[in-house]
Amino acid sequence: MVRQIATILNVTGGADGMQLPSFLNDLFFYYIMLLVTALTYLTTYLLLERARFGYKLLAIREHEEAAEMVGVNTVWIKIQAFGLSAFFPGIFGGIFAYWITYIHPDSVLGAQLTDFMVVMAFLGGIGSLWGPFLGAIVVQLVQRVLWLVMGEGTFYLVIIGAAICAVVLFIPNGSLAFWKDRTLFSQGIRRPAQEKDQVVRR
């Protein structure tokens, strides 16, 4: 929907895209992206792990009706979460646009970019701080290596698709949670859910 709107608005350049002023300084964009990334992680950590906002989101995820019963305004919290999830990508998108100096609806609103964000989150592990970060590194490395080996093409999409299918089927909590579980299992430590399942089997 947003892509279709962007193709007809004059402010976005329509179907021809938008040309931005050039600022050819890769080192500047590297450090500004690094700074914004650090601020993003710090902000989300404080909001989701240390503030009441994070506990309210957790309550909504676990049982929305129960959260409403204890006084959580679920609609307003969801709106805030939606705004937060759009705020930081908007900042990154603005910086990226000035780096490449030209943006087009297909290059920033295409399905491939959106799918990659989902793949990164699922592959690393949703609901964790470092899971999406790890997933982004893996996806980008695989994409670049396959592009160097095979040249222009979309075969890497097949591999990425197969990887995400495997993650959803076998390690739905992501690779980070999988390795944590393996580490705990090797140390003889079981999670509460695992202990509960063992009691039920008995």
Side-chain angles (χ1 to χ4, degrees), residues 82-194:
F82 179 77
L84 181 66
S85 69
F87 175 74
F88 291 111
I91 294 178
F92 281 108
I95 298 173
F96 178 74
Y98 274 98
W99 178 52
I100 62 176
T101 70
Y102 173 76
I103 55 175
H104 186 270
D106 289 334
S107 64
V108 296
L109 297 171
Q112 178 178 332
L113 183 63
T114 306
D115 294 343
F116 264 34
M117 290 189 289
V118 176
V119 170
M120 292 172 185
F122 271 100
L123 186 62
I126 58 176
S128 62
L129 184 65
W130 296 107
F133 182 80
L134 175 64
I137 293 176
V138 172
V139 170
Q140 288 297 320
L141 285 176
V142 171
Q143 178 186 357
R144 295 301 178 184
V145 169
L146 291 177
W147 183 81
L148 289 173
V149 173
M150 301 180 181
E152 289 289 345
T154 57
F155 182 70
Y156 66 89
L157 293 176
V158 177
I159 297 180
I160 293 296
I164 196 61
C165 288
V167 168
V168 171
L169 290 174
F170 302 109
I171 45 175
N173 293 326
S175 56
L176 192 63
F178 173 74
W179 287 113
K180 285 183 178 179
D181 289 340
R182 285 197 60 181
T183 302
L184 292 174
F185 183 78
S186 63
Q187 296 174 353
I189 303 174
R190 292 186 177 87
R191 291 183 180 271
Q194 293 173 333

Side-chain angles (χ1 to χ4, degrees), residues 51-70:
R52 295 182 64 184
F53 176 72
Y55 291 111
K56 292 178 181 179
L57 281 177
L58 183 61
I60 293 174
R61 187 191 72 178
E62 295 299 328
H63 202 297
E64 185 172 347
E65 291 78 8
E68 290 179 349
M69 292 294 293
V70 297

Side-chain angles (χ1 to χ4, degrees), residues 38-87:
L39 290 176
T40 300
Y41 261 82
L42 177 61
T43 304
T44 52
Y45 172 74
L46 293 176
L47 286 177
L48 301 180
E49 299 290 339
R50 296 297 182 182
R52 295 182 64 184
F53 176 72
Y55 291 111
K56 292 178 181 179
L57 281 177
L58 183 61
I60 293 174
R61 187 191 72 178
E62 295 299 328
H63 202 297
E64 185 172 347
E65 291 78 8
E68 290 179 349
M69 292 294 293
V70 297
V72 177
N73 189 343
T74 57
V75 175
W76 177 236
I77 294 297
K78 287 180 181 180
I79 293 174
Q80 288 179 313
F82 179 77
L84 181 66
S85 69
F87 175 74

